[in-house]
Amino acid sequence: MTVLLEASNLSVNIDTPRGDLHVVEDVSFSLGEGEILGVVGESGCGKSTTVRSLIGLLPRGGRVTGGSALFDGVDLFAQRPASLRAIRGDQIGFVAQNPFGLLNPVLPIAKQFRTLIRAHRGGLGKAECASMAREALLRTGIHEPDRVLHGYAHQLSGGMAQRVVIAMATILDPRLLISDEPTTALDVTIQRQVLELMRDVVRLGNRSMILVTHDLGVVAQFCDSVIVMYSGSVVESGKVAEVFTHPEHPYTRGLLASVPGGGRGETLPPGGPPARFEPARGCQFAPRCSRAETLCSVEPPPTVSSLGGDRRVRCHFVEIEEATHGAPAG
Amino acid sequence: MAHLRVENLTKTFHAGGEPVRAVGGVSFTIERGKTLALIGESGSGKSTVGRLVLRLVDADAGRVHLGDVDVLSLPPHRVRAQRREMQIVFQEPFESLNPRMRVADIVAEPLVIHERGLTKDQRRQRVRDVLDEVGLVDYGDRYPQGLSGGQQQRIGIARALITNPSFVVLDEPTSSLDLSVQAQVLDVLSQVQERHGLAYLYISHDLATVREIADDVAVMYRGEFREVGPVAAITSDPRDPYTRLLMSGFLSVDPREAPAPLQSAPARPGVDLNEPGCVFRARCVHVAEECSGTDLSLSPVGDTKMLRQVRCVRHDELAPAPDDVPRSGADPTCPPPDRQER
Ligand SMILES: Nc1ncnc2c1ncn2[C@@H]1O[C@H](COP(=O)(O)OP(=O)(O)OP(=O)(O)O)[C@@H](O)[C@H]1O
Ligand SMILES: Nc1ncnc2c1ncn2[C@@H]1O[C@H](COP(=O)(O)OP(=O)(O)OP(=O)(O)O)[C@@H](O)[C@H]1O
Ligand code: SF4
Ligand SMILES: [Mg+2]
Ligand SMILES: [Mg+2]
């Protein structure tokens, strides 16, 4: 499989009145063509910051402090804003966590589609743009695309706005689709339709997708690989079929166990990581971990890769034996 | 008598070209201390129902009573005062919080509008009390930015609660939050509900949280209720084909367990939904001749004490066969009956 995106040792800080916040630390992952990568982890662990850093959309005060992100061989972090803008939309589509944030409140939706299309595909007429937009909206399950196109953002329901943004992000058939919580406002049947659409785009067109979500069922059913984040770092990664059936990191185990109906084993104790103004010392999860020992809070855990394949677990106490013969049957 | 009583609420939007019938006559009641969940298709009118009840949008027809107050007939200048009694919490916590204001000032805002007579000290005390209720008593001096999504959402809740409302619309209050934070927020909501006897209208796409927080549930499709009644009854034995479709969407976290196919037909061309008949007939897998010709109304099903209503004309035929009936006290985490392998 050809690698389309390779992020290595990505770190992001956000400058706040109380100091420099270490929001993403040393995150690495790679994404192949035709592949869907899930990103999971609790609220505030840095999922949005990670994916937004790739396309230069960090919040004010945010900056990449280290690492590289090679997109088809081009380092995204070395791009000027203008060339990054050209890549975004055309080669990389983005669905933001808050869809209304991506829509202009005072322009009709049709006009916004047209601006987007023409920015990257000059010379298309109004009617051509409208018919492309209509097609894209129908594919996301919007029954009355014309009404949506003639209207404004405030006339849309939450789930309709989300689908408009998905239609915009996919309309130019980008090679990489980054979607940050793309289906939170959708009912389960439309969610299914939209995810199937995105999966087909990836599979049939040999595109790639990063899917940030807190819905573990979505990851289980629609992603090939997954990275599990905790407090700005990746604690576990690998194929979904392996990570979700035999989670190794105590945090991943707790996360999966907390799913109503699907969970087995010990759930997570309440609480969350503190805000970090310094680089991590030991394992960030130690205060909540039932397996933790003194070592865990002083020494950063190693990244264990001996589980085979591209599986990585960042923990002092990975039970390698159990994991090897516990490999999934299929 | 129920605290909130809504009858035949109706709203058609006229934006641009065609009229959009967002809410086509819905009726429901909510007692004090109880929660009615509103679930259904995206764009089916759930948020509009919430806004109509709060008079954030004007209804075309219908009646809304909160206690003794006839909400829809209030003159505009009294609506504002009435808002103290009825509040709303939105989905995206961060969007509704001003990043330049301290948490204490954000939470105090409704008091500044609605209770101008308070002294500074009284106001400060009220803010402290309500932050205490949502478990954020030490956060008054912070700014919303550095806070987690769950904390931000609890601030939204604190702001909604500070005027001591008796009814709150919760419009997807946890859908942008992860599971552990969701649980936290739902806990806070249940606790304050219990303490103050609040009535909630809980709009959500997440059946798991609906089962957790709601007493009753109404399922919406194209501006109408398809089915309404107690949560346990409807989730264990959905009778309307749209409810069944909605419940067939469950995705397992075990990647080896492929999702069940959705119980929906691809939209049938040539069905004109402006003609009388069931509004779900273009997609229904159980459609029959009797489904076209007359508009459907809700009819009672099952035990009359339960106040359960369904719209589908074929709901009797679609009742589960006796040996399919889930055991009483069915496991609420269990997928609905027609999803189980037989
Ligand atoms: N503008 C900002 N100023 C200060 N801190 C910020 C800012 N934006 C984000 N943060 C902090 O950075 C951390 C990571 O935020 P991010 O939005 O990436 O998390 P997330 O994993 O996407 O969470 P969620 O699941 O809630 O969307 C959080 O702790 C957040 O409080
Ligand atoms: N201000 C408005 N002007 C015109 N149409 C509107 C307006 N507000 C809502 N609508 C339309 O009314 C219908 C119902 O919208 P509503 O927001 O109530 O749906 P919803 O059930 O809350 O959906 P979601 O689950 O996606 O949030 C939609 O078709 C929407 O486009
Ligand atoms: S009335 Fe007919 S079309 Fe409508 S839900 Fe029932 S069976 Fe389906
Ligand atoms: Mg996020
Ligand atoms: Mg809504």
Side-chain angles (χ1 to χ4, degrees):
Chain A
M1 183 166 49
T2 324
V3 171
L4 180 69
L5 178 71
E6 179 89 57
S8 315
N9 312 104
L10 174 55
S11 296
V12 179
N13 284 7
I14 294 181
D15 184 27
T16 73
R18 292 162 67 215
D20 228 9
L21 203 57
H22 292 248
V23 175
V24 175
E25 237 178 339
D26 203 18
V27 165
S28 301
F29 57 87
S30 81
L31 177 63
E33 288 184 339
E35 196 184 27
I36 303 179
L37 171 73
V39 181
V40 301
E42 82 200 341
S43 230
C45 71
K47 304 180 295 293
S48 297
T49 309
T50 299
V51 298
R52 281 175 161 267
S53 73
L54 299 171
I55 42 176
L57 289 181
L58 286 175
R60 191 141 38 108
R63 67 180 195 288
V64 175
T65 54
S68 62
L70 294 182
F71 174 70
D72 199 18
V74 174
D75 190 353
L76 294 173
F77 296 156
Q79 300 303 303
R80 291 159 174 281
S83 48
L84 205 53
R85 265 199 305 276
I87 295 175
R88 197 165 69 219
D90 185 24
Q91 301 199 48
I92 302 181
F94 180 53
V95 179
Q97 190 162 2
N98 169 21
F100 289 104
L102 286 184
L103 297 174
N104 187 326
V106 299
L107 292 181
I109 302 294
K111 174 111 193 355
Q112 300 183 51
F113 268 100
R114 200 153 66 228
T115 309
L116 169 74
I117 296 170
R118 284 181 180 166
H120 300 281
R121 307 264 193 284
L124 285 184
K126 200 167 166 179
E128 283 165 300
C129 291
S131 86
M132 273 174 82
R134 202 174 295 121
E135 282 295 303
L137 288 173
L138 279 172
R139 281 198 299 268
T140 64
I142 287 188
H143 311 296
E144 309 133 310
D146 287 312
R147 162 162 77 92
V148 168
L149 286 170
H150 294 143
Y152 294 84
H154 76 271
Q155 296 168 338
L156 304 174
S157 79
M160 289 162 76
Q162 203 159 41
R163 287 178 282 163
V164 166
V165 167
I166 290 170
M168 285 181 169
T170 48
I171 197 164
L172 296 170
D173 192 20
R175 301 179 65 188
L176 171 63
L177 181 61
I178 297 178
S179 12
D180 192 356
E181 304 281 8
T183 60
T184 47
L186 303 181
D187 69 81
V188 287
T189 63
I190 291 179
Q191 176 192 57
R192 181 88 72 88
Q193 179 177 352
V194 164
L195 288 169
E196 283 171 358
L197 163 77
M198 299 206 271
R199 181 176 58 193
D200 291 348
V201 166
V202 170
R203 298 278 191 260
L204 302 176
N206 209 26
R207 303 313 193 196
S208 310
M209 172 154 89
I210 300 177
L211 182 63
V212 177
T213 178
H214 61 252
D215 189 333
L216 301 176
V218 167
V219 176
Q221 302 302 334
F222 288 91
C223 296
D224 305 298
S225 313
V226 61
I227 62 179
V228 183
M229 292 184 68
Y230 188 81
S231 186
S233 304
V234 177
V235 294
E236 180 156 10
S237 61
K239 294 271 169 281
V240 173
E242 289 162 23
V243 175
F244 273 40
T245 53
H246 298 92
E248 262 308 313
H249 196 281
Y251 174 64
T252 317
R253 291 188 177 180
L255 194 66
L256 286 163
S258 65
V259 176
R264 270 165 273 119
E266 225 177 306
T267 57
L268 288 173
R276 272 196 297 143
F277 293 98
E278 275 154 45
R281 283 219 353 266
C283 172
Q284 293 295 300
F285 187 59
R288 289 168 82 189
C289 181
S290 59
R291 217 195 276 169
E293 298 192 13
T294 327
L295 173 68
C296 301
S297 46
V298 287
E299 185 93 0
T303 300
V304 178
S305 60
S306 50
L307 298 168
D310 44 14
R311 186 79 177 275
R312 301 278 181 280
V313 185
R314 201 176 238 176
C315 175
H316 283 294
F317 301 105
V318 181
E319 290 148 13
I320 292 173
E321 267 175 296
E322 190 197 320
T324 14
H325 67 66
Chain B
M1 202 165 32
H3 187 52
L4 178 76
R5 302 181 305 282
V6 173
E7 283 162 65
N8 199 26
L9 202 55
T10 306
K11 176 71 186 179
T12 299
F13 288 105
H14 297 272
E18 317 136 53
V20 180
R21 198 185 71 146
V23 178
V26 307
S27 305
F28 58 89
T29 61
I30 310 178
E31 310 268 345
R32 284 203 82 124
K34 299 283 182 192
T35 303
L36 170 70
L38 212 49
I39 62 176
E41 188 168 53
S42 168
S44 60
K46 303 180 295 296
S47 298
T48 305
V49 168
R51 293 194 189 120
L52 290 170
V53 171
L54 300 184
R55 277 196 69 172
L56 296 171
V57 169
D58 287 326
D60 297 339
R63 284 164 118 34
V64 174
H65 281 91
L66 188 69
D68 304 330
V69 179
D70 181 347
V71 177
L72 299 190
S73 339
L74 286 176
H77 67 275
R78 299 235 350 248
V79 172
R80 203 176 204 204
Q82 178 66 20
R83 291 257 161 79
R84 285 168 57 174
E85 277 290 305
M86 354 184 263
Q87 291 282 354
I88 184 162
V89 177
F90 295 103
Q91 172 180 2
E92 291 290 339
F94 195 71
E95 293 309 309
S96 49
L97 305 178
N98 184 335
R100 274 179 283 280
M101 282 170 74
R102 289 179 323 134
V103 167
D105 298 328
I106 293 175
V107 172
E109 231 176 359
L111 287 186
V112 178
I113 300 169
H114 293 299
E115 298 182 41
R116 271 179 261 183
L118 293 180
T119 66
K120 233 177 171 177
D121 277 345
Q122 285 172 321
R123 201 185 297 155
R124 202 171 298 147
Q125 188 56 44
R126 290 276 288 277
V127 170
R128 246 191 100 73
D129 290 346
V130 78
L131 283 177
D132 195 25
E133 289 215 62
V134 300
L136 292 175
V137 75
D138 296 328
Y139 285 71
D141 287 329
R142 308 266 297 263
Y143 289 85
Q145 271 195 332
L147 304 181
S148 74
Q151 290 169 335
Q152 290 174 0
Q153 192 55 291
R154 283 187 280 161
I155 292 168
I157 292 169
R159 183 172 57 182
L161 294 179
I162 195 159
T163 57
N164 297 319
S166 60
F167 167 64
V168 183
V169 175
L170 303 162
D171 195 347
E172 305 192 45
T174 66
S175 61
S176 64
L177 306 173
D178 69 72
L179 285 173
S180 60
V181 181
Q182 253 177 29
Q184 216 180 69
V185 170
L186 291 179
D187 263 0
V188 166
L189 287 171
S190 307
Q191 283 164 18
V192 294
Q193 176 173 50
E194 217 163 283
R195 264 198 299 269
H196 305 288
L198 295 178
Y200 286 154
L201 180 65
Y202 176 71
I203 300 171
S204 178
H205 287 300
D206 182 4
L207 281 174
T209 64
V210 166
R211 287 186 179 111
E212 201 170 311
I213 192 172
D215 302 284
D216 295 307
V217 60
V219 182
M220 268 189 102
Y221 185 78
R222 291 195 175 232
E224 295 175 341
F225 284 1
R226 296 299 309 189
E227 184 155 12
V228 55
V231 171
I234 289 183
T235 55
S236 63
D237 172 21
R239 288 293 177 81
D240 191 275
Y242 178 69
T243 314
R244 290 186 178 196
L245 166 59
L246 203 56
M247 295 193 179
S248 66
F250 172 82
L251 294 173
S252 165
V253 294
D254 188 336
R256 293 164 298 194
E257 228 175 83
L262 292 176
Q263 311 239 325
S264 152
R268 287 181 197 91
V271 176
D272 181 0
L273 292 180
N274 295 318
E275 298 283 305
C278 173
V279 294
F280 187 55
R281 68 188 186 279
R283 290 169 64 198
C284 183
V285 290
H286 300 289
V287 66
E289 214 163 301
E290 64 210 278
C291 306
S292 311
T294 38
D295 282 331
L296 310 183
S297 51
L298 286 168
S299 47
V301 279
D303 186 346
T304 45
K305 285 200 305 285
M306 239 174 21
L307 296 173
R308 207 184 146 175
Q309 297 182 304
V310 181
R311 193 171 297 268
C312 169
V313 283
R314 303 193 59 206
H315 67 261
D316 277 337
E317 297 157 69
L318 302 179
D323 56 336
D324 281 351
V325 176
R327 279 156 282 126
S328 60
D331 177 0
T333 60
C334 206
D338 47 19
R339 230 194 71 77
Q340 285 166 351
E341 311 293 334
R342 279 179 214 145

